[in-house]
Amino acid sequence: MEMKSMMICFCFCCLGFWEHTLSAQEQVRALRPLEQCTLVTDLADRIEEIQVIPIKQRFDAESLEWMRKKLLIGPDGDLFLVYGREVMCFDAAGKYQFSMKYNQGKECPYHQDACISVDQKKLLFAHGDSEVVFFDLNDGREIERLPMNKPLQLFEEIAPAPDGGFYYYSISAPCTNNFERGHLLVTRFDKNGKKLESSIPQVGFTVNIFLVSQAVGNTYLIRTQGGDNACYRVNTKGELEKAYTFDFGKRGIPDTYGMLKGDLMLQDYMRADYYKMPIYLCEGGKFFYFTSCGPQAEAYNFLYARGKDSGIYWKADPDLEIHFLSADEDYFYALLEPVPEEMTRETQDPLLRQIFKQFALSLGEETSARLVKVKFK
């Protein structure tokens, strides 16, 4: 599974600092995960409720579209699954409602992504770096198409900005230390596609997957890597602010790791004997979750109570990874594709064990994906 994960990231790879001053009121949480969190092997007493809802659609679990899927939650609890050029809407019970499709007639050579506008009335679908399509969030009706006259050519993901605008995230030479020094990761555009400003310089090795994730209240988390090791938040007003920093101490990967090499390969970076790459950032009403790639590319999941400098972490299953994709006030949301029954019995991931303890038979069937909702105590 480790090699599969690295190959997925490799496939993605083949395809600045903001003139912004943090106000005195903004709170940046400095996390020290290995000091503040306790390693656990059982989550039975940490989980209040688990729901598993069938999504009566079939997906190709081996495709890049599935690997790059994104889950957005609408203001009324509707679920929007971003999958390739389609955004499927399901109600809170998993019943299919409608789809928003980008019909361009040809495949996009770059990444595609979507977000929900600050006023939560529109869905913004970015077709690579060339066009943004606005859909009505209530019925999926296409409203307008906005050609990007000056594309960034390095588009990765999108987030909402004030006054109907949006942020583009772009990486210079992802999955390598041979990137353009001083490249700015985030660019803000207005609702007409006019470039306003750029922010957050790329200062280190960055893997271009799950860069922007929706959080509670239609806020968004934007992650960086390398020498920054910070997480930024797009708040409810669409304003960008630094939210978290990650410090793994001496066990964290040095900012200069691999700099003497001509080109640092992804597999070498992931297998390095350090904790690195905070990813799958997910923030609910009461908890903050993320995953880190540890020594020998083993994944660890961290869970903090919001407002507290303490938490827990557990080792992920290398053969069946589960990651939260979005969150609301009470629940964290993940998607699981069908798995063989023997895998449900053998997993050592404490989160998966709790899920399979209640829903092993249904997950073992040859069926469509399942939406998993987890409420922590």
Side-chain angles (χ1 to χ4, degrees):
M1 184 64 182
E2 171 191 327
M3 186 56 66
K4 175 184 175 183
S5 297
M6 290 190 293
M7 288 303 296
I8 291 167
C9 288
F10 177 76
C11 291
F12 294 148
C13 298
C14 291
L15 294 174
F17 186 71
W18 190 282
E19 301 300 332
H20 168 82
T21 303
L22 291 175
S23 69
Q25 289 75 30
E26 290 175 339
Q27 298 297 314
V28 181
R29 290 190 59 190
L31 305 180
R32 301 186 305 278
L34 297 180
E35 296 178 26
Q36 298 168 335
C37 297
T38 302
L39 180 64
V40 299
T41 57
D42 189 355
L43 291 173
D45 61 344
R46 307 277 185 169
I47 295 176
E48 180 175 332
E49 181 186 0
I50 297 176
Q51 297 181 31
V52 173
I53 302 172
I55 299 294
K56 296 179 181 179
Q57 301 284 325
R58 292 189 176 274
F59 307 101
D60 180 2
E62 300 298 323
S63 70
L64 292 181
E65 285 82 3
W66 176 260
M67 300 303 171
R68 289 190 64 87
K69 64 185 177 294
K70 175 173 286 188
L71 186 67
L72 303 171
I73 303 175
D76 298 322
D78 288 338
L79 306 168
F80 298 89
L81 177 59
V82 184
Y83 184 78
R85 289 189 291 175
E86 183 176 8
V87 182
M88 289 162 276
C89 176
F90 302 87
D91 66 17
K95 182 179 178 181
Y96 175 79
Q97 303 294 303
F98 57 83
S99 286
M100 293 169 274
K101 295 182 180 181
Y102 181 84
N103 297 314
Q104 181 66 13
K106 60 182 180 179
E107 293 297 325
C108 177
Y110 304 106
H111 296 154
Q112 301 168 103
D113 193 32
C115 66
I116 295 175
S117 62
V118 170
D119 63 10
Q120 301 193 64
K121 294 181 179 180
K122 299 177 183 178
L123 182 133
L124 282 63
F125 182 89
H127 178 68
D129 58 357
S130 61
E131 192 169 32
V132 176
V133 185
F134 295 80
F135 293 93
D136 189 294
L137 202 63
N138 291 320
D139 56 17
R141 174 177 51 88
E142 183 178 318
I143 300 173
E144 66 171 313
R145 297 194 176 196
L146 177 64
M148 300 299 289
N149 296 323
K150 295 182 179 180
L152 298 176
Q153 299 181 345
L154 297 169
F155 168 81
E156 299 288 345
E157 300 189 22
I158 189 173
D163 302 320
F166 47 90
Y167 299 99
Y168 264 5
Y169 193 124
S170 68
I171 295 176
S172 171
C175 301
T176 176
N177 59 329
N178 274 335
F179 56 87
E180 176 188 343
R181 305 295 165 175
H183 172 75
L184 299 177
L185 295 170
V186 177
T187 300
R188 179 183 167 191
F189 296 87
D190 68 12
K191 63 181 180 181
N192 299 313
K194 179 182 177 182
K195 180 179 176 179
L196 299 179
E197 50 198 350
S198 295
S199 67
I200 311 177
Q202 183 176 349
V203 293
F205 194 103
T206 303
V207 178
N208 56 334
I209 179 175
F210 211 77
L211 298 164
V212 179
S213 54
Q214 188 197 45
V216 62
N218 196 44
T219 58
Y220 289 77
L221 299 178
I222 297 179
R223 70 175 182 84
T224 61
Q225 290 174 12
D228 194 345
N229 281 329
C231 163
Y232 293 78
R233 181 189 294 113
V234 175
N235 62 28
T236 55
K237 297 179 181 179
E239 300 165 338
L240 187 66
E241 59 190 22
K242 183 177 281 191
Y244 298 95
T245 60
F246 305 89
D247 183 0
F248 290 95
K250 294 182 178 179
R251 300 177 69 185
I253 195 163
D255 296 347
T256 56
Y257 183 83
M259 287 298 182
L260 298 180
K261 299 182 64 175
D263 190 14
L264 177 63
M265 301 300 292
L266 175 63
Q267 58 266 35
D268 295 331
Y269 179 82
M270 293 182 68
R271 288 174 176 164
D273 195 26
Y274 298 100
Y275 286 83
K276 82 290 282 182
M277 207 171 85
I279 193 172
Y280 296 108
L281 308 176
C282 203
E283 188 175 56
K286 299 177 182 177
F287 296 94
F288 173 61
Y289 161 95
F290 65 94
T291 298
S292 176
C293 180
Q296 300 306 311
E298 293 182 328
Y300 292 86
N301 299 302
F302 292 82
L303 185 72
Y304 275 86
R306 291 188 64 181
K308 294 185 179 181
D309 292 327
S310 61
I312 59 173
Y313 72 108
W314 63 92
K315 187 177 178 180
D317 188 327
D319 296 316
L320 180 61
E321 297 181 8
I322 178 173
H323 302 291
F324 293 120
L325 304 178
S326 191
D328 58 23
E329 187 65 32
D330 296 314
Y331 294 94
F332 285 84
Y333 294 76
L335 283 167
L336 271 179
E337 66 265 29
V339 296
E341 187 175 349
E342 60 270 17
M343 193 173 289
T344 69
R345 296 193 303 264
E346 297 171 0
T347 183
Q348 296 302 305
D349 185 315
L351 176 58
L352 286 171
R353 284 206 311 267
Q354 290 304 118
I355 295 171
F356 294 149
K357 183 178 180 180
Q358 298 182 46
F359 303 100
L361 291 178
S362 62
L363 284 173
E365 297 173 356
E366 290 294 328
T367 184
S368 58
R370 304 299 171 107
L371 174 69
V372 180
K373 298 173 58 176
V374 179
K375 184 178 183 180
F376 290 97
K377 293 181 180 178

